[in-house]
Amino acid sequence: MKKQLFIVAAIALLSLNSCVQKTQWRTVVFTLNVSGIPNIKTVGVRGWDSPLSWDKDFPMKEVVKDSLYQVTISGRTGRLYTEMKFSINGQLEEKIANNRQVYFDTKSNVTKVNFVFDKE
């Protein structure tokens, strides 16, 4: 009886393991418009999936002076989207009540998104 119970438990555990979604390599190019915001020292993005974190900024680089910042982030995930927010000088967006959701482009695996700081 114990042997049968062990076999049933092992089969159940193995079948649960097969329900996990496979991870895929995803790349997201974030472009952020910060026009009209004074005294910018740093611009960053925070979020769910590694290498992002909710605890510290992932730095963005200025591509157009006092106007546009950009960063390309790549990593493996099993999710269909990620959640994130931008920050300026270490302060997260305040007018964006919920996290921004970015759905991955499943055809090219490179997702390009454009946002305006603190605007939906």
Side-chain angles (χ1 to χ4, degrees), residues 8-36:
V8 170
I11 291 171
L13 284 174
L14 289 174
S15 67
L16 287 176
N17 191 22
S18 66
C19 295
V20 175
Q21 186 173 348
K22 293 180 182 178
T23 63
Q24 301 232 351
W25 190 260
R26 303 285 188 201
T27 298
V28 180
V29 180
F30 294 100
T31 303
L32 181 65
N33 184 327
V34 296
S35 299

Side-chain angles (χ1 to χ4, degrees), residues 28 30 32 42-60 71 73 79 81-94 96 98-102 113 115 117:
V28 180
F30 294 100
L32 181 65
T42 62
V43 176
V45 60
R46 297 183 192 186
W48 253 0
D49 295 302
S50 182
L52 298 182
S53 161
W54 289 112
D55 297 324
K56 73 176 201 177
D57 291 346
F58 192 96
M60 298 181 77
V71 67
I73 297 176
R79 300 177 193 199
Y81 69 97
T82 190
E83 290 193 12
M84 44 70 66
K85 277 194 175 184
F86 295 104
S87 68
I88 291 181
N89 301 333
Q91 297 298 309
L92 286 175
E93 298 173 292
E94 294 178 0
I96 306 298
N98 297 317
N99 298 332
R100 295 181 186 268
Q101 293 184 341
V102 176
V113 292
F115 293 104
F117 187 79

Side-chain angles (χ1 to χ4, degrees), residues 1-16:
M1 181 70 171
K2 285 185 181 181
K3 191 174 187 179
Q4 289 175 332
L5 183 60
F6 176 76
I7 291 171
V8 170
I11 291 171
L13 284 174
L14 289 174
S15 67
L16 287 176

